[in-house]
Amino acid sequence: MPNKSPFTKIKGGVCAPNGFQAAAVSAGIKNPDDPRLDLALIYSEAPCVAAGTFTTNRVKAAPVKVSQAYMKADQVQAIVANSGNANACTGVEGISDSRKTAKIISKCLGLRQRQIAICSTGVIGLPMPMTRIEPKLPELVENLSPKNGEDVARAIMTSDTCKKEISVAFDCGEHRVRIGACAKGAGMICPSMATMLCFITTDANVHPDCLQKAVQEAVEMSFNRITIDGDMSTNDTVIVLANGQSGMPAPARNSEECRKLREALVYVMTKMAKSLVRDGERVTKFVTVEVKGAKTYLDAKKVAEAVANSALVKSSWNGNDPNWGRIIHAVGYSRASVREELIDIHINGKPACLGGLQAKTQMETLRNIVAKDEFTITINLNRGNAEYEVYTSDLSPEYIDFNRSEYAYWKQARKDGLV
Amino acid sequence: MPNKSPFTKIKGGVCAPNGFQAAAVSAGIKNPDDPRLDLALIYSEAPCVAAGTFTTNRVKAAPVKVSQAYMKADQVQAIVANSGNANACTGVEGISDSRKTAKIISKCLGLRQRQIAICSTGVIGLPMPMTRIEPKLPELVENLSPKNGEDVARAIMTSDTCKKEISVAFDCGEHRVRIGACAKGAGMICPSMATMLCFITTDANVHPDCLQKAVQEAVEMSFNRITIDGDMSTNDTVIVLANGQSGMPAPARNSEECRKLREALVYVMTKMAKSLVRDGERVTKFVTVEVKGAKTYLDAKKVAEAVANSALVKSSWNGNDPNWGRIIHAVGYSRASVREELIDIHINGKPACLGGLQAKTQMETLRNIVAKDEFTITINLNRGNAEYEVYTSDLSPEYIDFNRSEYAYWKQARKDGLV
């Protein structure tokens, strides 16, 4: 069968689109003895149209506050990001650290301070080790190259076990356009608590309003589908920079070109979002929870999120247990309008529960499906036509073990004289 | 210091109040080869005033539907309960099984069928093994004795590691009155998913309206404080039987005697609720989360529940990590009205975070507190006067491991020819 996707995979990550450069260095932010990359820069030579979505958490990290303000005030065309420290709950000092970082980078790049977006991920509540970060910022700018896309993807990793990046090319009218992206995730049990960062670059030409709308729509279809309750961490950020260097003319609003670009953003962000689930902390399974037949969109969403967020359901998947009883239980407490005797539950299309009762499918058959590392739970409420879909994972004993302590961070901060 | 509690602990559990008898037998409901007690009966010789609260889950087990209907229609004076099978998601057959159980017991006791409440706890979605239950019901009635309170507490256990019961005596006007109770819990990570049963007996004399109100109030102050999101399992049930056999006259509404009885119900239910947390699945710590200074009661509740329900916060407690960053993070996504720079967090009275920033308390001091098996997190939002308190636990790798599979249930059901 021919590949029908209009998107061709290309190399380069965030540097794949024309006119983007990147760099990453090791600043030893979490641990001065660790040589891993932890400070990164993405830069467009040409001015950009920028759009972003930020955490809805009431407790916002300093870089989120600073980036939101800068993006409103000016035309952002560079992003500086670090892992190892979230710069969250760090008060005025944290704000000042983020601003200082933007200032230094902007001077080196010959830009205004507000043209730099800043993102951080890592532990909450500890001051940034600026004595280690500051000297590395000029080096970041010196190292800029169109070959370093992958380094950025590596530098923003925290508990991720692999880098997440993608770049694709597609035709937009008569012009070839490119989109590149990298992302990082973390814990998946309650994804609202993972810091999620995603940086997207494109050489498409796009109107600012059109871009902002497209980004919001794409985030809703992708990252919010893994953000179980719609809440986000203190640091969650998606930023898109579009520099128009593909040579395409600015498309009219609601044109075919606009639609194409929206589709491409959904495609790229969905790929990134799913890769975050797959690499969730100590995750062994990727599960799609699909709700059909709900009375309203909101009901479908409530049911999907209740099931995808249930620790008992997720534990059973970890044990290869096709436990539909726990699933219908979560459906029942989701606060959606449901009727027990109408609920059907299928696992990869095989009925596990029909009309609220155990179906005839052999338990071994269902068990063999749930033993796989990827499957789909379909819940049909049989009450209407609304649908919703989320992507989730199992929950392993190793996840809890992994998350028992961040004490090491504090010990290093003590050594650094920061606490 | 003198013990100021007006409640004297006495022996006997649900049989401590005058005129109550009980019995428990082994019916091999989960496993015919296991001699553990799994079928129990509580019976009052005299007619009772009865009140109850039941799960708010939209998916309700058959015994919940039947008991609710019976309690509305008649004067319940006996409770039959089983562990090993929840009789949930079992359709009309499940309803018929619950009714048949009530019918057999009522005939043996010389009562009307609707005077029997029925409760079940265990796996969801499997038919009741009635061939093993039915022959044991007359035996239950034959074994009735005022000495068997403890056996009932044991028979309703599922994953509980110890029985939960209490009985107290107190003065109500000029009369000595007794209250007895037993309860069972289970998983604590997301307590909404644990089946919780609590049976309370008393020889107090009380008006039906007064009792129902008192029970609702006491449940709100106790079991709902461990029911993180206010939702309940398919089977959750609290039933109170008051038979008036203490000899006290019926108290006037809003009298001192009524108030005393309400207090006693709160006392007994809070003891039971806290014991459920302490015996949560693979729990190592009992944590009180106390929220103060909220603008509204609902805000205080949202914050307390977000923190108490956060898998990341609970994992950190398991690791003895005094991680206030994760706590403030959960405060931020609770959807309550909060201002980061006003938030104070204390652990057993020691400041961990003041004004949204790291406090000066030595990390070792906080770590030593969180290493204990019981501590209190106090979150002051400094925005108003509303307060709320919940009781929660840590989350251990062993919990997930414990909950990975209920497959054994299905294998037994297959042997029984039920699926």
Side-chain angles (χ1 to χ4, degrees):
Chain A
M1 266 178 51
N3 181 4
K4 282 182 181 170
S5 169
F7 308 110
T8 313
K9 287 204 177 163
I10 57 172
K11 292 196 172 176
V14 290
C15 290
N18 288 346
F20 282 95
Q21 298 186 34
V25 297
S26 171
I29 295 174
K30 180 177 172 185
N31 176 358
D33 300 326
D34 188 344
R36 64 160 301 226
L37 300 174
D38 57 4
L39 190 60
L41 178 65
I42 300 171
Y43 166 66
S44 165
E45 300 141 33
C48 290
V49 165
T53 63
F54 297 89
T55 180
T56 56
N57 197 305
R58 299 269 182 138
V59 177
K60 287 188 210 309
V64 168
K65 293 176 188 165
V66 171
S67 293
Q68 278 187 306
Y70 285 6
M71 288 183 76
K72 262 192 191 167
D74 209 332
Q75 275 190 295
V76 165
Q77 75 185 68
I79 304 167
V80 55
N82 74 275
S83 58
N85 189 318
N87 196 7
C89 302
T90 45
V92 285
E93 195 191 335
I95 298 280
S96 149
D97 288 344
S98 282
R99 283 189 186 144
K100 190 188 268 180
T101 303
K103 190 174 185 179
I104 296 172
I105 289 287
S106 67
K107 280 198 176 158
C108 297
L109 288 172
L111 294 173
R112 295 179 295 276
Q113 185 175 333
R114 294 179 178 191
Q115 288 184 283
I116 317 295
I118 309 108
C119 301
S120 298
T121 174
V123 73
I124 297 174
L126 287 180
M128 293 286 273
M130 289 303 286
T131 49
R132 291 203 289 279
I133 294 173
E134 275 188 55
K136 289 289 179 178
L137 295 172
E139 198 178 312
L140 259 188
V141 176
E142 283 159 27
N143 291 358
L144 279 173
S145 146
K147 292 183 181 166
N148 293 336
E150 189 180 323
D151 282 357
V152 176
R154 289 192 192 285
I156 59 175
M157 286 165 61
T158 51
S159 57
D160 310 68
T161 64
C162 58
K163 68 176 171 72
K164 286 108 191 157
E165 64 171 352
I166 187 174
S167 29
V168 297
F170 59 101
D171 291 321
C172 208
E174 289 167 9
H175 290 265
R176 194 72 175 162
V177 168
R178 283 147 291 264
I179 293 192
C182 64
K184 60 100 25 192
M188 282 313 307
I189 180 184
C190 188
S192 61
M193 300 202 67
T195 282
M196 186 277 297
L197 298 179
C198 181
F199 306 133
I200 299 176
T201 54
T202 177
D203 48 22
N205 195 346
V206 56
H207 189 274
D209 289 354
C210 171
L211 185 65
Q212 183 63 42
K213 238 169 104 176
V215 169
Q216 278 167 347
E217 183 189 286
V219 166
E220 178 56 35
M221 300 293 286
S222 56
F223 295 111
N224 283 355
R225 297 298 172 112
I226 60 164
T227 306
I228 297 306
D229 55 7
D231 294 312
M232 291 175 141
S233 95
T234 49
N235 291 58
D236 287 349
T237 300
V238 177
I239 294 178
V240 183
L241 300 181
N243 68 4
Q245 297 300 295
S246 62
M248 70 180 275
R253 292 193 198 202
N254 302 318
S255 62
E256 177 63 15
E257 285 77 13
C258 264
R259 198 189 51 72
K260 251 311 187 34
L261 185 65
R262 286 209 299 274
E263 258 182 45
L265 281 173
V266 170
Y267 178 82
V268 165
M269 288 197 205
T270 303
K271 287 273 179 193
M272 288 291 96
K274 289 186 175 179
S275 74
L276 298 193
V277 176
R278 272 177 232 276
D279 192 33
E281 281 163 2
R282 306 306 188 258
V283 152
T284 72
K285 291 174 201 296
F286 179 93
V287 185
T288 302
V289 177
E290 187 180 67
V291 176
K292 294 180 168 179
K295 266 185 146 175
T296 66
Y297 174 83
L298 206 63
D299 271 352
K301 193 174 176 207
K302 278 180 191 165
V303 168
E305 291 179 347
V307 171
N309 204 22
S310 157
L312 279 179
V313 170
K314 290 158 87 94
S315 297
S316 70
W317 291 337
N318 186 255
N320 302 334
D321 186 3
N323 202 316
W324 66 268
R326 290 186 183 169
I327 294 175
I328 199 169
H329 184 174
V331 172
Y333 72 66
S334 68
R335 299 186 185 277
S337 168
V338 302
R339 282 178 55 194
E340 182 182 342
E341 64 276 21
L342 298 179
I343 300 170
D344 298 336
I345 300 172
H346 288 75
I347 307 179
N348 271 8
K350 301 275 182 199
C353 162
L354 292 175
L357 300 171
Q358 169 103 15
K360 298 282 176 218
T361 312
Q362 287 290 315
M363 197 49 68
E364 276 71 23
T365 309
L366 297 174
R367 193 172 169 80
N368 289 337
I369 299 173
V370 177
K372 293 180 185 176
D373 59 6
E374 187 160 345
F375 55 88
T376 298
I377 304 285
T378 307
I379 300 160
N380 195 331
L381 303 177
N382 289 304
R383 301 210 68 192
N385 296 311
E387 301 184 351
Y388 196 80
E389 189 175 273
V390 295
Y391 313 110
T392 187
S393 65
D394 61 332
L395 174 58
S396 65
E398 294 77 17
Y399 167 90
I400 309 297
D401 203 42
F402 184 73
N403 278 297
R404 290 172 75 230
S405 188
E406 285 182 335
Y407 192 56
Y409 278 101
W410 266 276
K411 283 207 284 200
Q412 181 59 46
R414 162 90 50 90
K415 268 195 207 162
D416 292 342
L418 292 171
V419 288
Chain B
M1 266 178 50
N3 180 3
K4 283 182 179 170
S5 169
F7 308 109
T8 313
K9 287 205 176 163
I10 56 173
K11 292 196 172 177
V14 290
C15 290
N18 288 347
F20 281 96
Q21 298 188 33
V25 298
S26 171
I29 295 173
K30 180 176 172 185
N31 176 357
D33 300 327
D34 188 344
R36 64 161 300 226
L37 300 174
D38 57 6
L39 191 60
L41 177 65
I42 300 171
Y43 166 65
S44 165
E45 301 142 33
C48 289
V49 166
T53 62
F54 296 90
T55 180
T56 56
N57 197 305
R58 300 269 181 139
V59 177
K60 288 187 209 312
V64 168
K65 292 176 188 167
V66 171
S67 293
Q68 278 186 307
Y70 285 7
M71 288 183 77
K72 263 192 189 167
D74 209 332
Q75 276 190 294
V76 165
Q77 76 186 66
I79 304 167
V80 55
N82 74 275
S83 58
N85 189 316
N87 195 8
C89 302
T90 45
V92 286
E93 196 192 335
I95 297 280
S96 150
D97 288 344
S98 283
R99 284 189 185 143
K100 190 188 267 178
T101 302
K103 190 172 183 178
I104 296 171
I105 290 286
S106 67
K107 280 197 176 159
C108 297
L109 289 172
L111 295 174
R112 294 178 296 276
Q113 184 174 334
R114 295 180 178 190
Q115 289 185 282
I116 318 294
I118 310 108
C119 300
S120 299
T121 175
V123 73
I124 296 173
L126 287 180
M128 292 287 272
M130 290 302 286
T131 49
R132 290 202 290 278
I133 294 172
E134 276 188 54
K136 289 289 178 177
L137 295 172
E139 198 180 310
L140 258 188
V141 177
E142 284 158 26
N143 291 357
L144 277 174
S145 148
K147 293 184 181 165
N148 293 336
E150 188 179 321
D151 281 357
V152 176
R154 289 192 191 285
I156 58 176
M157 286 165 60
T158 51
S159 58
D160 310 69
T161 65
C162 59
K163 67 178 172 72
K164 285 106 190 160
E165 63 171 351
I166 186 174
S167 29
V168 298
F170 59 102
D171 292 320
C172 210
E174 289 167 8
H175 290 264
R176 194 73 176 160
V177 168
R178 284 146 291 265
I179 293 192
C182 64
K184 60 97 28 190
M188 283 313 307
I189 179 185
C190 189
S192 62
M193 300 203 68
T195 282
M196 187 278 297
L197 298 179
C198 181
F199 306 133
I200 299 176
T201 54
T202 177
D203 48 22
N205 195 346
V206 57
H207 190 274
D209 289 354
C210 172
L211 185 65
Q212 184 63 40
K213 237 170 103 175
V215 169
Q216 277 166 348
E217 183 189 285
V219 166
E220 178 55 36
M221 300 293 287
S222 57
F223 295 112
N224 283 354
R225 298 296 173 112
I226 60 164
T227 308
I228 297 305
D229 54 7
D231 294 313
M232 290 175 141
S233 96
T234 49
N235 291 59
D236 287 348
T237 300
V238 176
I239 294 178
V240 183
L241 299 181
N243 69 4
Q245 297 299 295
S246 60
M248 71 181 272
R253 293 192 198 202
N254 302 319
S255 62
E256 177 64 16
E257 285 78 12
C258 264
R259 197 190 51 73
K260 248 324 189 20
L261 185 65
R262 284 208 303 272
E263 258 183 45
L265 281 173
V266 170
Y267 178 81
V268 164
M269 287 197 205
T270 304
K271 286 273 180 195
M272 287 292 96
K274 288 186 175 179
S275 74
L276 298 193
V277 176
R278 272 177 231 278
D279 193 32
E281 281 164 4
R282 305 308 187 256
V283 153
T284 73
K285 293 175 201 292
F286 179 92
V287 185
T288 303
V289 177
E290 188 181 66
V291 176
K292 295 179 168 180
K295 268 185 144 176
T296 65
Y297 174 83
L298 205 63
D299 271 352
K301 193 173 176 209
K302 279 180 189 164
V303 168
E305 291 180 347
V307 171
N309 204 22
S310 157
L312 279 180
V313 170
K314 289 158 87 93
S315 298
S316 70
W317 293 337
N318 187 255
N320 301 335
D321 186 4
N323 202 315
W324 67 267
R326 289 186 183 170
I327 294 175
I328 200 169
H329 184 173
V331 173
Y333 72 66
S334 68
R335 299 184 186 277
S337 169
V338 302
R339 281 177 56 194
E340 182 182 341
E341 65 275 21
L342 298 180
I343 299 169
D344 298 335
I345 300 172
H346 288 75
I347 307 179
N348 271 8
K350 301 275 181 201
C353 161
L354 292 174
L357 299 172
Q358 169 103 14
K360 299 281 175 219
T361 312
Q362 287 291 315
M363 197 49 67
E364 276 72 23
T365 308
L366 297 174
R367 193 170 169 80
N368 289 337
I369 299 173
V370 177
K372 294 180 184 176
D373 60 5
E374 187 161 345
F375 55 87
T376 298
I377 304 286
T378 308
I379 300 161
N380 196 329
L381 302 177
N382 288 304
R383 300 210 68 191
N385 296 312
E387 303 184 350
Y388 196 80
E389 187 175 276
V390 296
Y391 313 110
T392 187
S393 64
D394 60 333
L395 174 59
S396 64
E398 293 77 16
Y399 167 90
I400 309 295
D401 203 43
F402 184 73
N403 277 297
R404 290 171 77 230
S405 187
E406 286 183 331
Y407 192 59
Y409 279 102
W410 266 276
K411 283 206 284 199
Q412 181 58 47
R414 163 91 49 91
K415 268 195 207 162
D416 293 341
L418 292 171
V419 289

